[in-house]
């Protein structure tokens, strides 16, 4: 899995983080300092990028954490067949088959933007 390590204090809302080996987008980030000699703690509420599950994490702000590297790509819909569509990547011209999300109206020749990480893809 393509990932890099960062300190928890470097994260922010809208960024990505790995929680339970799942790539998640950070919905909220808050810090609290428990006392005079205690280190600050960060609480992260996040939603899975590919599965949509909500996850939370509480860590000291100086702890190291893994951040996934998610590629944002452009594609063009080549054909639509039932609930599946074939998409051509506009950089590599590779053709891939993707499931059509319920809230997307897909038709051939439309350009789409999608996220890709290790064979998992999601239309944005």
């Amino acid at each position: 899995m393509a990932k890099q390590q960062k300190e928890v204090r470097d994260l922010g809302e809208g960024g990505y983080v790995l929680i339970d080996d799942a790539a998640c987008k950070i919905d909220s980030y808050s810090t609290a300092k428990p006392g005079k000699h205690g280190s600050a703690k960060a609480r992260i509420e996040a939603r899975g990028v590919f599965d949509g599950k909500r996850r939370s994490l509480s860590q000291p702000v100086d702890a190291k954490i893994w951040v996934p590297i998610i590629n944002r790509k452009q594609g063009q819909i080549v054909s639509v067949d039932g609930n599946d569509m074939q998409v051509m990547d506009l950089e590599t011209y590779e053709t891939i088959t993707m499931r059509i999300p319920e809230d997307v109206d897909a038709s051939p020749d439309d350009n789409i933007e999608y996220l890709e990480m290790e064979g998992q893809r999601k239309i944005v």
Side-chain angles (χ1 to χ4, degrees):
M1 178 181 294
K3 57 187 176 182
Q4 62 184 7
Q5 204 168 28
K6 286 186 172 183
E7 285 191 358
V8 173
R9 71 174 54 136
D10 296 333
L11 301 175
E13 291 182 11
Y16 297 103
V17 66
L18 274 178
I19 300 175
D20 300 332
D21 287 333
C24 298
K25 185 172 184 176
I26 299 172
D27 290 334
S28 70
Y29 175 91
S30 61
T31 58
K33 188 162 170 58
K36 184 175 180 181
H37 300 289
S39 63
K41 305 263 191 287
R43 178 162 177 80
I44 298 170
E45 299 285 334
R47 182 181 306 265
V49 173
F50 300 105
D51 60 8
K53 290 183 180 175
R54 298 189 65 75
R55 295 178 174 89
S56 65
L57 175 75
S58 182
Q59 292 273 323
V61 294
D62 58 349
K64 300 278 187 179
I65 194 164
W66 291 105
V67 176
I69 298 173
I70 299 175
N71 296 320
R72 183 176 290 262
K73 294 185 166 189
Q74 300 283 327
Q76 183 178 26
I77 299 172
V78 177
S79 67
V80 176
D81 183 27
N83 292 333
D84 295 334
M85 63 182 172
Q86 285 199 324
V87 177
M88 179 179 67
D89 188 299
L90 293 178
E91 285 183 22
T92 63
Y93 303 110
E94 174 189 7
T95 303
I96 52 178
T97 302
M98 299 174 72
R99 175 107 14 215
I100 301 172
E102 294 176 4
D103 58 339
V104 173
D105 183 27
S107 61
D109 297 333
D110 283 352
N111 287 337
I112 62 167
E113 192 172 56
Y114 64 96
L115 301 175
E116 182 181 58
M117 186 184 90
E118 293 195 345
Q120 295 178 319
R121 296 177 184 93
K122 180 182 179 185
I123 296 173
V124 289

